[in-house]
Structures are given as C-alpha cells and as structure tokens.
Amino acid sequence: MYKEDISNYDLVVRIKNYDHHAFKVLYDRFWESLYTRAYSILGDKSLAKDIVQDVWISFWERRDKINNDNIEGYLLRAVRFKVYNEFRNSKYRSKLVEEFVQNYNPHIQTNNIEQFIQLKDTEKAIFKVVNCLPNKCKQVFELSRFDGMKNEEIAQKLNISKRTVETHISNALKVLKNNVALSFAVFLELF
C-alpha cells in the first residue's frame, strides 16, 4: 500500500517497473477527471468511458516509453487526442458543427491566445463554406444564424415561405457538417 501523498512522478516510476498497484493508484487518482473531460466534449457516457479506458490501456502498454513529468497533463492530452480522432471519424463532428453554428457569437471575447486563434480559424472555416452556398441559401442562413432572425421574419423579409426558409437552413447545415474541418471540436473543447 502507498501513502495518499505519493507523488505522481513516483507512481510513474513504479509503473515503469511493472508495479500494478501504482498503476491502480494513478488510475483512481485521474480516472474521473479524464472521464469528465471526455464526456464534456462528447456528451456520450459510454463512448467517454471507452475512450478513457483506451487511454489507460495505451498508457500501460507504452509505460516504458513515456517520459513526462506532468502525467496528468499527458493523460488529458491523450484523452483529447482520442476524442478528436472520434470526431474525425464519426457522427459527433456533425453535432459539433450544428452546436457551434447555433450558438455562434461574433463578439466572443477571450484573453487566451490559443482560444483566440482557434476561434478565428473556426470562423474562417465557417465563412469559407457559407460563402460557397447558393445565394438564396446563403442569405437565409446568414439572416438566421448571424443576424438572429426567426424563420417567420426571414420568410416575410425575403417574401418566401417559412418552409422554404427551413429547407435553406437545413441544406446549409448539411453542407457545413460535411465540409467543415475538425476545428469545431478543438474550439468547443477550449471553452
């Protein structure tokens, strides 16, 4: 048995020497925070658990090769990497795109340089795709998502039916979901 105050560094040293108990102590220490990080991004308990388990398995398998003084940071980055891979290869990318576009606020302020750069990259990716939409679809989408107008208001302004407005918005979201890069996952995880 180890004392509660044994350092993470000492645990990692023992794990490198195949100490299963040290691994369990480290696992118990960080499992919940890793799971919380994965779940907060994915919103899927089962998938978040699977990703965290994969990270722990990989950590055990690669324990000899890991040289990191900040093991908590290393594990959190590993979870983030696995989550991003999941986004790249799954339905979650569509969910993120829609969530970002629904909640887009051009006046978001951040003092963090990484967040600011990621925000600008995400905005650039959105606008690049939006600018390629057919004119009427682009106009409807911009009025809806960027100007905050309701579907009824857009229909009246453009003299089209509410159903046509809904169709244009749906089509625009489909195009965004299919064409916007992983930057959404990165952006949403930062905030």
Side-chain angles (χ1 to χ4, degrees), residues 102-161:
Q102 293 282 346
N103 300 312
Y104 176 72
N105 178 353
H107 306 293
I108 292 174
Q109 297 292 318
T110 178
N111 294 326
N112 181 304
I113 298 293
E114 182 181 355
Q115 288 176 344
F116 178 78
I117 291 169
Q118 192 60 48
L119 172 63
K120 292 305 170 192
D121 287 347
T122 302
E123 287 176 341
K124 193 183 304 180
I126 289 172
F127 290 120
K128 183 177 180 181
V129 173
V130 169
N131 285 329
C132 293
L133 293 171
N135 287 335
K136 188 61 84 172
C137 184
K138 176 183 173 186
Q139 185 180 20
V140 168
F141 186 79
E142 287 176 340
L143 290 171
S144 171
R145 296 308 196 255
F146 301 151
D147 295 343
M149 291 178 72
K150 294 185 173 134
N151 292 356
E152 298 84 20
E153 297 171 324
I154 297 168
Q156 287 178 342
K157 179 176 180 156
L158 300 179
N159 199 25
I160 58 178
S161 73

Side-chain angles (χ1 to χ4, degrees), residues 70-82:
N70 180 2
I71 199 62
E72 182 178 18
Y74 172 86
L75 292 168
L76 286 168
R77 281 189 307 277
V79 166
R80 189 171 61 196
F81 178 76
K82 290 262 189 204

